[in-house]
């Protein structure tokens, strides 16, 4: 006869589920000790059988209960150990991953484009390497025109066989020398050659001027050009659009001021300023005006050369152009334009992280 206390002790000390299983087989399995005892019952007298049978059943129940209890205990312990092993202290500070952000000028460009998109303008871009024709002659600045002195130019010496391509990708050999565009206005000509009015566009992009850099001058900066052409377009439309721009930038109090000035590609021409409500002052921003008839004529002449119908007789239009860095300098009180690109200092740029 087996020793019940010993068996119960073994079970409660079983270190693992495997060990527990071995014990279960040893006592209750097909050839287990209890099972074997059960098989001897048949040889006993009814009296003895009844007594021993009851005793064996009791033993079996106790063992079964002990096995189940130990199994639960082992599983619970394993779970506790796993929880401890995998514990995560969510109160610990995390790792800061370095992340990028948009350059202030990119942010401003995006803001400006969004404002003009709401007014129905398409956004188009053009080449930075331009020809004399699109940059100057096409916008009413012929070679002898004193206005060419207004913009000092980076002239390029392109490699053998390089030609500037026109708006349709055509190579035209009388477009003059190659240069880095001094303003975004050449896109006026390119776009008008390729499209017929009416349309509204804005042209963001980099421009280049060959000049000494100082706190307010850079050799490379960004401009935004606007152009609207159609029947019956007037200066009032121009003022309305620039006023919307001012409201988009400075809220409902945004206002604009126009003062007459000269640009060869507009007539009449104006410089415009925006009212800065927070500082109660005018920000002198850029130039604008009604598209000069000579610009329309240059466009139509070019179209004719390509075999296209003239499309700009009897229409009118307005244009504007201004520098993004200038807007940023004034709006944020930044003392030096060189912070943007030459120094490209992160401690500066991070202050404008979005
Ligand atoms: N292209 C001019 C400049 O760079 C700005 C301008 C654009 C003025 C369109 C009038 C109309 O200074």
């Amino acid at each position: 006869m087996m020793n019940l206390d010993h068996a119960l002790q073994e079970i409660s000390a079983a270190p693992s589920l495997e060990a527990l299983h071995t014990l279960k087989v040893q006592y209750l399995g097909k050839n287990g000790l209890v099972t074997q005892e059960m098989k001897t019952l048949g040889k006993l007298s009814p009296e003895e059988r009844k007594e021993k049978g009851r005793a064996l059943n009791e033993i079996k129940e106790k063992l079964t209960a002990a096995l189940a209890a130990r199994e639960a205990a082992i599983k619970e312990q394993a779970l506790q150990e796993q929880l401890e092993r995998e514990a995560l202290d969510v109160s610990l500070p995390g790792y800061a991953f370095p992340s990028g952000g948009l350059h202030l000028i990119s942010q401003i460009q995006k803001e400006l484009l969004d404002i003009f998109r709401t007014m129905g303008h398409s956004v188009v871009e053009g080449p930075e390497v331009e020809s004399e024709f699109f940059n100057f002659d096409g916008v009413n600045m012929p070679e002898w025109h004193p206005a060419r002195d207004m913009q000092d130019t980076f002239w390029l010496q392109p490699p053998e066989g390089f030609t500037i391509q026109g708006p349709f990708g055509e190579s035209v050999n009388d477009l003059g020398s190659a240069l880095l565009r001094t303003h975004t206005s050449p896109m006026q000509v390119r776009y008008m050659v390729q499209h017929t009015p009416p349309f509204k566009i804005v042209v963001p992009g980099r421009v280049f001027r060959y000049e000494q850099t100082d706190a307010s001058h850079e050799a490379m900066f960004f401009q935004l050009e606007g152009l609207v052409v159609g029947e019956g377009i007037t200066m009032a439309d121009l003022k309305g659009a620039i006023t919307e721009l001012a409201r988009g930038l400075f809220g409902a109090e945004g206002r604009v001021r126009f003062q007459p000035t000269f640009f060869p590609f507009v007539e009449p021409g104006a410089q415009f300023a925006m009212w800065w409500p927070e500082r109660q002052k005018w920000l002198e921003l850029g130039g604008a005006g009604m598209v000069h008839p000579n610009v329309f004529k240059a466009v139509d002449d070019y179209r004719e050369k390509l075999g296209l119908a003239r499309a700009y007789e009897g229409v009118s239009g307005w244009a504007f152009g201004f520098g993004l860095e200038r807007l940023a300098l004034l709006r944020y009180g930044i003392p030096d334009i060189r912070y943007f690109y030459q120094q490209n200092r992160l401690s500066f740029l991070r202050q404008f992280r979005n």
Side-chain angles (χ1 to χ4, degrees):
M1 181 71 191
M2 55 166 290
N3 182 333
L4 178 61
D5 285 343
H6 178 68
L8 291 175
Q9 224 167 39
E10 269 186 321
I11 289 172
S12 66
S16 65
L17 290 176
E18 294 78 53
L20 202 61
H21 184 72
T22 307
L23 288 170
K24 187 173 179 178
V25 171
Q26 188 181 327
Y27 291 112
L28 303 177
K30 236 182 4 204
N31 297 313
L33 290 176
V34 176
T35 320
Q36 277 173 14
E37 295 270 353
M38 289 280 198
K39 283 178 186 159
T40 64
L41 290 179
K43 294 175 192 146
L44 301 176
S45 67
E47 274 306 296
E48 281 174 318
R49 188 188 306 155
K50 195 174 164 200
E51 183 140 334
K52 194 165 182 199
R54 199 183 45 74
L56 278 175
N57 267 331
E58 211 169 285
I59 288 173
K60 195 175 165 183
E61 268 164 34
K62 282 188 174 153
L63 289 175
T64 305
L67 285 164
R70 184 59 189 151
E71 183 178 333
I74 289 172
K75 282 185 175 164
E76 172 65 20
Q77 197 189 347
L79 179 65
Q80 286 310 324
E81 278 170 8
Q82 188 188 4
L83 286 176
E84 247 165 70
R85 225 176 21 247
E86 296 176 1
L88 181 71
D89 184 349
V90 292
S91 69
L92 285 173
Y95 297 103
F97 290 99
S99 67
L102 290 181
H103 192 284
L104 176 58
I105 295 303
S106 300
Q107 292 178 44
I108 289 182
Q109 188 183 81
K110 195 169 167 290
E111 188 183 357
L112 293 168
L113 295 182
D114 283 346
I115 293 170
F116 280 100
R117 279 196 196 95
T118 66
M119 288 193 258
H121 288 241
S122 309
V123 178
V124 295
E125 290 179 283
E128 291 166 4
V129 172
E130 258 302 1
S131 69
E132 245 177 311
F133 173 75
F134 292 113
N135 195 81
F136 290 129
D137 305 76
V139 290
N140 198 32
M141 297 170 77
E143 198 150 12
W144 46 263
H145 202 294
R148 276 206 186 181
D149 296 336
M150 277 166 49
Q151 294 171 332
D152 289 341
T153 307
F154 284 110
W155 296 95
L156 302 176
Q157 215 140 42
E160 194 67 31
F162 175 90
T163 49
I164 302 273
Q165 299 197 327
F168 293 97
E170 72 279 12
S171 290
V172 183
N173 46 25
D174 53 357
L175 294 180
S177 309
L179 50 82
L180 292 179
R181 65 177 176 192
T182 61
H183 51 181
T184 40
S185 300
M187 259 313 274
Q188 289 191 24
V189 182
R190 284 182 176 271
Y191 191 86
M192 285 197 274
V193 163
Q194 215 181 354
H195 300 82
T196 53
F199 56 75
K200 308 193 226 183
I201 59 167
V202 273
V203 187
R206 239 182 266 264
V207 303
F208 305 85
R209 296 200 187 163
Y210 186 41
E211 55 191 4
Q212 202 66 40
T213 66
D214 61 28
S216 54
H217 294 86
E218 261 285 18
M220 186 281 292
F221 57 98
F222 283 80
Q223 281 191 334
L224 184 72
E225 187 95 6
L227 178 66
V228 170
V229 179
E231 266 175 49
I233 301 290
T234 70
M235 195 105 182
D237 300 307
L238 169 61
K239 284 194 84 171
I242 301 286
T243 302
E244 270 314 299
L245 171 61
R247 290 188 183 139
L249 289 172
F250 298 108
E253 289 176 80
R255 281 193 282 146
V256 295
R257 181 183 73 186
F258 279 64
Q259 291 171 308
T261 195
F262 173 76
F263 294 98
F265 26 89
V266 285
E267 178 59 35
Q271 58 187 38
F272 64 90
M274 280 183 196
W275 179 247
W276 188 11
E278 269 169 53
R279 295 282 171 92
Q280 297 285 300
K281 67 181 198 184
W282 290 103
L283 307 182
E284 203 56 67
L285 262 196
M290 300 305 291
V291 179
H292 196 289
N294 286 354
V295 177
F296 286 142
K297 183 175 179 303
V299 167
D300 268 342
D301 289 349
Y302 192 100
R303 284 175 61 87
E304 219 164 50
K305 222 165 50 181
L306 298 180
L308 298 167
R310 300 182 81 84
Y312 290 87
E313 281 156 8
V315 296
S316 56
W318 55 253
F320 71 77
F322 65 90
L324 271 49
E325 289 77 6
R326 190 171 161 72
L327 173 59
L329 293 181
L330 294 170
R331 197 185 189 191
Y332 297 104
I334 298 163
D336 196 318
I337 195 172
R338 287 168 293 196
Y339 283 152
F340 288 123
Y341 311 115
Q342 287 194 29
Q343 306 190 348
N344 211 21
R345 221 190 277 159
L346 284 179
S347 60
F348 164 74
L349 293 171
R350 283 203 179 111
Q351 296 175 50
F352 302 100
R353 203 130 125 175
N354 54 348

PDB file of all heavy atoms in Angstrom, residues 85-113:
ATOM      1  N   ARG A  85       9.368  39.882 -15.485  1.00  0.00           N
ATOM      2  CA  ARG A  85      10.388  39.955 -16.525  1.00  0.00           C
ATOM      3  C   ARG A  85      10.039  41.020 -17.575  1.00  0.00           C
ATOM      4  O   ARG A  85      10.874  41.757 -18.055  1.00  0.00           O
ATOM      5  CB  ARG A  85      10.471  38.588 -17.217  1.00  0.00           C
ATOM      6  CG  ARG A  85      11.878  38.107 -17.435  1.00  0.00           C
ATOM      7  CD  ARG A  85      11.972  36.719 -18.035  1.00  0.00           C
ATOM      8  NE  ARG A  85      10.832  36.201 -18.753  1.00  0.00           N
ATOM      9  CZ  ARG A  85      10.102  35.179 -18.340  1.00  0.00           C
ATOM     10  NH1 ARG A  85      10.377  34.590 -17.197  1.00  0.00           N
ATOM     11  NH2 ARG A  85       9.087  34.741 -19.060  1.00  0.00           N
ATOM     12  N   GLU A  86       8.767  41.063 -17.907  1.00  0.00           N
ATOM     13  CA  GLU A  86       8.370  41.953 -19.007  1.00  0.00           C
ATOM     14  C   GLU A  86       7.844  43.292 -18.531  1.00  0.00           C
ATOM     15  O   GLU A  86       7.262  44.050 -19.300  1.00  0.00           O
ATOM     16  CB  GLU A  86       7.310  41.244 -19.875  1.00  0.00           C
ATOM     17  CG  GLU A  86       7.880  39.999 -20.534  1.00  0.00           C
ATOM     18  CD  GLU A  86       6.835  39.225 -21.304  1.00  0.00           C
ATOM     19  OE1 GLU A  86       5.673  39.669 -21.333  1.00  0.00           O
ATOM     20  OE2 GLU A  86       7.200  38.179 -21.879  1.00  0.00           O
ATOM     21  N   ALA A  87       8.059  43.595 -17.276  1.00  0.00           N
ATOM     22  CA  ALA A  87       7.507  44.844 -16.734  1.00  0.00           C
ATOM     23  C   ALA A  87       8.111  46.046 -17.451  1.00  0.00           C
ATOM     24  O   ALA A  87       9.280  46.052 -17.826  1.00  0.00           O
ATOM     25  CB  ALA A  87       7.786  44.922 -15.254  1.00  0.00           C
ATOM     26  N   LEU A  88       7.312  47.084 -17.677  1.00  0.00           N
ATOM     27  CA  LEU A  88       7.762  48.300 -18.363  1.00  0.00           C
ATOM     28  C   LEU A  88       7.394  49.478 -17.480  1.00  0.00           C
ATOM     29  O   LEU A  88       6.235  49.644 -17.105  1.00  0.00           O
ATOM     30  CB  LEU A  88       7.011  48.386 -19.699  1.00  0.00           C
ATOM     31  CG  LEU A  88       7.334  49.567 -20.594  1.00  0.00           C
ATOM     32  CD1 LEU A  88       8.727  49.396 -21.180  1.00  0.00           C
ATOM     33  CD2 LEU A  88       6.308  49.646 -21.714  1.00  0.00           C
ATOM     34  N   ASP A  89       8.401  50.259 -17.133  1.00  0.00           N
ATOM     35  CA  ASP A  89       8.115  51.411 -16.284  1.00  0.00           C
ATOM     36  C   ASP A  89       7.744  52.589 -17.175  1.00  0.00           C
ATOM     37  O   ASP A  89       8.595  53.250 -17.750  1.00  0.00           O
ATOM     38  CB  ASP A  89       9.354  51.751 -15.449  1.00  0.00           C
ATOM     39  CG  ASP A  89       9.066  52.877 -14.484  1.00  0.00           C
ATOM     40  OD1 ASP A  89       7.995  53.523 -14.618  1.00  0.00           O
ATOM     41  OD2 ASP A  89       9.900  53.125 -13.601  1.00  0.00           O
ATOM     42  N   VAL A  90       6.449  52.815 -17.286  1.00  0.00           N
ATOM     43  CA  VAL A  90       6.001  53.866 -18.214  1.00  0.00           C
ATOM     44  C   VAL A  90       6.272  55.267 -17.673  1.00  0.00           C
ATOM     45  O   VAL A  90       6.062  56.251 -18.365  1.00  0.00           O
ATOM     46  CB  VAL A  90       4.495  53.723 -18.554  1.00  0.00           C
ATOM     47  CG1 VAL A  90       4.263  52.485 -19.374  1.00  0.00           C
ATOM     48  CG2 VAL A  90       3.662  53.724 -17.287  1.00  0.00           C
ATOM     49  N   SER A  91       6.752  55.325 -16.426  1.00  0.00           N
ATOM     50  CA  SER A  91       7.029  56.660 -15.886  1.00  0.00           C
ATOM     51  C   SER A  91       8.451  57.110 -16.214  1.00  0.00           C
ATOM     52  O   SER A  91       8.817  58.258 -15.990  1.00  0.00           O
ATOM     53  CB  SER A  91       6.827  56.663 -14.365  1.00  0.00           C
ATOM     54  OG  SER A  91       7.835  55.883 -13.759  1.00  0.00           O
ATOM     55  N   LEU A  92       9.276  56.212 -16.804  1.00  0.00           N
ATOM     56  CA  LEU A  92      10.635  56.616 -17.181  1.00  0.00           C
ATOM     57  C   LEU A  92      10.585  57.584 -18.361  1.00  0.00           C
ATOM     58  O   LEU A  92       9.728  57.444 -19.222  1.00  0.00           O
ATOM     59  CB  LEU A  92      11.453  55.385 -17.586  1.00  0.00           C
ATOM     60  CG  LEU A  92      11.938  54.470 -16.465  1.00  0.00           C
ATOM     61  CD1 LEU A  92      12.585  53.222 -17.051  1.00  0.00           C
ATOM     62  CD2 LEU A  92      12.943  55.201 -15.589  1.00  0.00           C
ATOM     63  N   PRO A  93      11.490  58.556 -18.387  1.00  0.00           N
ATOM     64  CA  PRO A  93      11.498  59.448 -19.557  1.00  0.00           C
ATOM     65  C   PRO A  93      11.879  58.682 -20.820  1.00  0.00           C
ATOM     66  O   PRO A  93      12.699  57.782 -20.764  1.00  0.00           O
ATOM     67  CB  PRO A  93      12.554  60.490 -19.201  1.00  0.00           C
ATOM     68  CG  PRO A  93      13.385  59.866 -18.138  1.00  0.00           C
ATOM     69  CD  PRO A  93      12.518  58.887 -17.406  1.00  0.00           C
ATOM     70  N   GLY A  94      11.274  59.040 -21.959  1.00  0.00           N
ATOM     71  CA  GLY A  94      11.556  58.340 -23.208  1.00  0.00           C
ATOM     72  C   GLY A  94      12.806  58.888 -23.878  1.00  0.00           C
ATOM     73  O   GLY A  94      13.444  59.809 -23.372  1.00  0.00           O
ATOM     74  N   TYR A  95      13.178  58.268 -24.997  1.00  0.00           N
ATOM     75  CA  TYR A  95      14.288  58.783 -25.782  1.00  0.00           C
ATOM     76  C   TYR A  95      13.747  59.848 -26.731  1.00  0.00           C
ATOM     77  O   TYR A  95      12.723  59.648 -27.352  1.00  0.00           O
ATOM     78  CB  TYR A  95      14.921  57.681 -26.623  1.00  0.00           C
ATOM     79  CG  TYR A  95      15.526  56.562 -25.800  1.00  0.00           C
ATOM     80  CD1 TYR A  95      14.867  55.350 -25.652  1.00  0.00           C
ATOM     81  CD2 TYR A  95      16.764  56.750 -25.185  1.00  0.00           C
ATOM     82  CE1 TYR A  95      15.429  54.329 -24.895  1.00  0.00           C
ATOM     83  CE2 TYR A  95      17.325  55.734 -24.426  1.00  0.00           C
ATOM     84  CZ  TYR A  95      16.651  54.526 -24.277  1.00  0.00           C
ATOM     85  OH  TYR A  95      17.202  53.531 -23.538  1.00  0.00           O
ATOM     86  N   ALA A  96      14.443  60.968 -26.857  1.00  0.00           N
ATOM     87  CA  ALA A  96      14.029  61.984 -27.822  1.00  0.00           C
ATOM     88  C   ALA A  96      14.676  61.669 -29.159  1.00  0.00           C
ATOM     89  O   ALA A  96      15.891  61.609 -29.260  1.00  0.00           O
ATOM     90  CB  ALA A  96      14.460  63.364 -27.342  1.00  0.00           C
ATOM     91  N   PHE A  97      13.888  61.424 -30.179  1.00  0.00           N
ATOM     92  CA  PHE A  97      14.444  61.176 -31.497  1.00  0.00           C
ATOM     93  C   PHE A  97      14.574  62.497 -32.241  1.00  0.00           C
ATOM     94  O   PHE A  97      13.636  63.302 -32.229  1.00  0.00           O
ATOM     95  CB  PHE A  97      13.537  60.234 -32.293  1.00  0.00           C
ATOM     96  CG  PHE A  97      13.557  58.834 -31.763  1.00  0.00           C
ATOM     97  CD1 PHE A  97      12.541  58.386 -30.933  1.00  0.00           C
ATOM     98  CD2 PHE A  97      14.597  57.975 -32.090  1.00  0.00           C
ATOM     99  CE1 PHE A  97      12.563  57.097 -30.430  1.00  0.00           C
ATOM    100  CE2 PHE A  97      14.626  56.686 -31.585  1.00  0.00           C
ATOM    101  CZ  PHE A  97      13.612  56.246 -30.759  1.00  0.00           C
ATOM    102  N   PRO A  98      15.695  62.734 -32.878  1.00  0.00           N
ATOM    103  CA  PRO A  98      15.825  63.983 -33.635  1.00  0.00           C
ATOM    104  C   PRO A  98      14.819  63.976 -34.785  1.00  0.00           C
ATOM    105  O   PRO A  98      14.665  62.970 -35.464  1.00  0.00           O
ATOM    106  CB  PRO A  98      17.264  63.948 -34.164  1.00  0.00           C
ATOM    107  CG  PRO A  98      17.705  62.531 -34.045  1.00  0.00           C
ATOM    108  CD  PRO A  98      16.885  61.890 -32.960  1.00  0.00           C
ATOM    109  N   SER A  99      14.109  65.089 -34.976  1.00  0.00           N
ATOM    110  CA  SER A  99      13.156  65.146 -36.076  1.00  0.00           C
ATOM    111  C   SER A  99      13.351  66.429 -36.858  1.00  0.00           C
ATOM    112  O   SER A  99      13.802  67.429 -36.305  1.00  0.00           O
ATOM    113  CB  SER A  99      11.727  65.078 -35.539  1.00  0.00           C
ATOM    114  OG  SER A  99      11.454  66.243 -34.799  1.00  0.00           O
ATOM    115  N   GLY A 100      13.031  66.393 -38.119  1.00  0.00           N
ATOM    116  CA  GLY A 100      13.245  67.549 -38.976  1.00  0.00           C
ATOM    117  C   GLY A 100      12.062  68.492 -38.951  1.00  0.00           C
ATOM    118  O   GLY A 100      11.048  68.226 -38.313  1.00  0.00           O
ATOM    119  N   GLY A 101      12.192  69.605 -39.618  1.00  0.00           N
ATOM    120  CA  GLY A 101      11.090  70.549 -39.732  1.00  0.00           C
ATOM    121  C   GLY A 101      11.306  71.366 -40.989  1.00  0.00           C
ATOM    122  O   GLY A 101      12.384  71.343 -41.568  1.00  0.00           O
ATOM    123  N   LEU A 102      10.281  72.059 -41.410  1.00  0.00           N
ATOM    124  CA  LEU A 102      10.408  72.874 -42.626  1.00  0.00           C
ATOM    125  C   LEU A 102      11.180  74.151 -42.319  1.00  0.00           C
ATOM    126  O   LEU A 102      10.986  74.772 -41.283  1.00  0.00           O
ATOM    127  CB  LEU A 102       9.026  73.235 -43.169  1.00  0.00           C
ATOM    128  CG  LEU A 102       8.215  72.099 -43.783  1.00  0.00           C
ATOM    129  CD1 LEU A 102       6.880  72.632 -44.291  1.00  0.00           C
ATOM    130  CD2 LEU A 102       8.985  71.427 -44.912  1.00  0.00           C
ATOM    131  N   HIS A 103      12.049  74.530 -43.231  1.00  0.00           N
ATOM    132  CA  HIS A 103      12.749  75.815 -43.164  1.00  0.00           C
ATOM    133  C   HIS A 103      11.699  76.928 -43.151  1.00  0.00           C
ATOM    134  O   HIS A 103      10.644  76.789 -43.776  1.00  0.00           O
ATOM    135  CB  HIS A 103      13.641  75.921 -44.398  1.00  0.00           C
ATOM    136  CG  HIS A 103      14.646  77.035 -44.347  1.00  0.00           C
ATOM    137  ND1 HIS A 103      14.295  78.342 -44.544  1.00  0.00           N
ATOM    138  CD2 HIS A 103      15.981  77.020 -44.127  1.00  0.00           C
ATOM    139  CE1 HIS A 103      15.397  79.100 -44.457  1.00  0.00           C
ATOM    140  NE2 HIS A 103      16.425  78.304 -44.204  1.00  0.00           N
ATOM    141  N   LEU A 104      12.001  77.994 -42.430  1.00  0.00           N
ATOM    142  CA  LEU A 104      11.028  79.080 -42.300  1.00  0.00           C
ATOM    143  C   LEU A 104      10.529  79.565 -43.668  1.00  0.00           C
ATOM    144  O   LEU A 104       9.342  79.847 -43.849  1.00  0.00           O
ATOM    145  CB  LEU A 104      11.649  80.247 -41.521  1.00  0.00           C
ATOM    146  CG  LEU A 104      10.781  81.497 -41.401  1.00  0.00           C
ATOM    147  CD1 LEU A 104       9.448  81.198 -40.737  1.00  0.00           C
ATOM    148  CD2 LEU A 104      11.518  82.580 -40.636  1.00  0.00           C
ATOM    149  N   ILE A 105      11.441  79.644 -44.630  1.00  0.00           N
ATOM    150  CA  ILE A 105      11.028  80.152 -45.940  1.00  0.00           C
ATOM    151  C   ILE A 105      10.081  79.159 -46.631  1.00  0.00           C
ATOM    152  O   ILE A 105       9.126  79.554 -47.296  1.00  0.00           O
ATOM    153  CB  ILE A 105      12.276  80.451 -46.811  1.00  0.00           C
ATOM    154  CG1 ILE A 105      13.081  81.587 -46.169  1.00  0.00           C
ATOM    155  CG2 ILE A 105      11.880  80.818 -48.239  1.00  0.00           C
ATOM    156  CD1 ILE A 105      12.320  82.887 -45.950  1.00  0.00           C
ATOM    157  N   SER A 106      10.310  77.867 -46.429  1.00  0.00           N
ATOM    158  CA  SER A 106       9.376  76.870 -46.985  1.00  0.00           C
ATOM    159  C   SER A 106       8.004  77.012 -46.345  1.00  0.00           C
ATOM    160  O   SER A 106       6.977  76.870 -47.012  1.00  0.00           O
ATOM    161  CB  SER A 106       9.899  75.452 -46.746  1.00  0.00           C
ATOM    162  OG  SER A 106      11.150  75.282 -47.362  1.00  0.00           O
ATOM    163  N   GLN A 107       7.999  77.277 -45.041  1.00  0.00           N
ATOM    164  CA  GLN A 107       6.712  77.442 -44.351  1.00  0.00           C
ATOM    165  C   GLN A 107       5.947  78.637 -44.912  1.00  0.00           C
ATOM    166  O   GLN A 107       4.736  78.576 -45.152  1.00  0.00           O
ATOM    167  CB  GLN A 107       6.930  77.681 -42.856  1.00  0.00           C
ATOM    168  CG  GLN A 107       7.484  76.484 -42.106  1.00  0.00           C
ATOM    169  CD  GLN A 107       7.725  76.814 -40.641  1.00  0.00           C
ATOM    170  OE1 GLN A 107       6.900  77.443 -39.996  1.00  0.00           O
ATOM    171  NE2 GLN A 107       8.868  76.401 -40.128  1.00  0.00           N
ATOM    172  N   ILE A 108       6.687  79.735 -45.120  1.00  0.00           N
ATOM    173  CA  ILE A 108       6.032  80.944 -45.627  1.00  0.00           C
ATOM    174  C   ILE A 108       5.541  80.721 -47.054  1.00  0.00           C
ATOM    175  O   ILE A 108       4.433  81.121 -47.427  1.00  0.00           O
ATOM    176  CB  ILE A 108       6.999  82.155 -45.541  1.00  0.00           C
ATOM    177  CG1 ILE A 108       7.163  82.529 -44.062  1.00  0.00           C
ATOM    178  CG2 ILE A 108       6.499  83.326 -46.370  1.00  0.00           C
ATOM    179  CD1 ILE A 108       8.045  83.718 -43.833  1.00  0.00           C
ATOM    180  N   GLN A 109       6.363  80.033 -47.846  1.00  0.00           N
ATOM    181  CA  GLN A 109       5.954  79.767 -49.227  1.00  0.00           C
ATOM    182  C   GLN A 109       4.649  78.958 -49.254  1.00  0.00           C
ATOM    183  O   GLN A 109       3.722  79.259 -50.006  1.00  0.00           O
ATOM    184  CB  GLN A 109       7.062  78.990 -49.950  1.00  0.00           C
ATOM    185  CG  GLN A 109       6.785  78.847 -51.429  1.00  0.00           C
ATOM    186  CD  GLN A 109       7.858  78.021 -52.123  1.00  0.00           C
ATOM    187  OE1 GLN A 109       7.844  76.799 -52.080  1.00  0.00           O
ATOM    188  NE2 GLN A 109       8.796  78.695 -52.746  1.00  0.00           N
ATOM    189  N   LYS A 110       4.578  77.967 -48.375  1.00  0.00           N
ATOM    190  CA  LYS A 110       3.391  77.114 -48.302  1.00  0.00           C
ATOM    191  C   LYS A 110       2.171  77.945 -47.898  1.00  0.00           C
ATOM    192  O   LYS A 110       1.090  77.808 -48.473  1.00  0.00           O
ATOM    193  CB  LYS A 110       3.666  76.020 -47.264  1.00  0.00           C
ATOM    194  CG  LYS A 110       2.729  74.864 -47.292  1.00  0.00           C
ATOM    195  CD  LYS A 110       3.292  73.751 -46.412  1.00  0.00           C
ATOM    196  CE  LYS A 110       2.251  72.699 -46.151  1.00  0.00           C
ATOM    197  NZ  LYS A 110       1.164  73.179 -45.267  1.00  0.00           N
ATOM    198  N   GLU A 111       2.373  78.807 -46.922  1.00  0.00           N
ATOM    199  CA  GLU A 111       1.288  79.671 -46.443  1.00  0.00           C
ATOM    200  C   GLU A 111       0.776  80.568 -47.583  1.00  0.00           C
ATOM    201  O   GLU A 111      -0.439  80.708 -47.800  1.00  0.00           O
ATOM    202  CB  GLU A 111       1.834  80.525 -45.285  1.00  0.00           C
ATOM    203  CG  GLU A 111       0.803  81.344 -44.554  1.00  0.00           C
ATOM    204  CD  GLU A 111       1.439  82.228 -43.472  1.00  0.00           C
ATOM    205  OE1 GLU A 111       2.672  82.149 -43.255  1.00  0.00           O
ATOM    206  OE2 GLU A 111       0.691  83.019 -42.862  1.00  0.00           O
ATOM    207  N   LEU A 112       1.721  81.158 -48.335  1.00  0.00           N
ATOM    208  CA  LEU A 112       1.340  82.053 -49.436  1.00  0.00           C
ATOM    209  C   LEU A 112       0.604  81.292 -50.538  1.00  0.00           C
ATOM    210  O   LEU A 112      -0.425  81.752 -51.053  1.00  0.00           O
ATOM    211  CB  LEU A 112       2.594  82.718 -50.022  1.00  0.00           C
ATOM    212  CG  LEU A 112       3.325  83.709 -49.104  1.00  0.00           C
ATOM    213  CD1 LEU A 112       4.687  84.068 -49.685  1.00  0.00           C
ATOM    214  CD2 LEU A 112       2.480  84.964 -48.903  1.00  0.00           C
ATOM    215  N   LEU A 113       1.125  80.121 -50.881  1.00  0.00           N
ATOM    216  CA  LEU A 113       0.484  79.349 -51.956  1.00  0.00           C
ATOM    217  C   LEU A 113      -0.926  78.953 -51.551  1.00  0.00           C
ATOM    218  O   LEU A 113      -1.849  78.980 -52.371  1.00  0.00           O
ATOM    219  CB  LEU A 113       1.321  78.112 -52.305  1.00  0.00           C
ATOM    220  CG  LEU A 113       2.710  78.381 -52.906  1.00  0.00           C
ATOM    221  CD1 LEU A 113       3.412  77.077 -53.250  1.00  0.00           C
ATOM    222  CD2 LEU A 113       2.622  79.284 -54.131  1.00  0.00           C
TER     223      LEU A 113
END
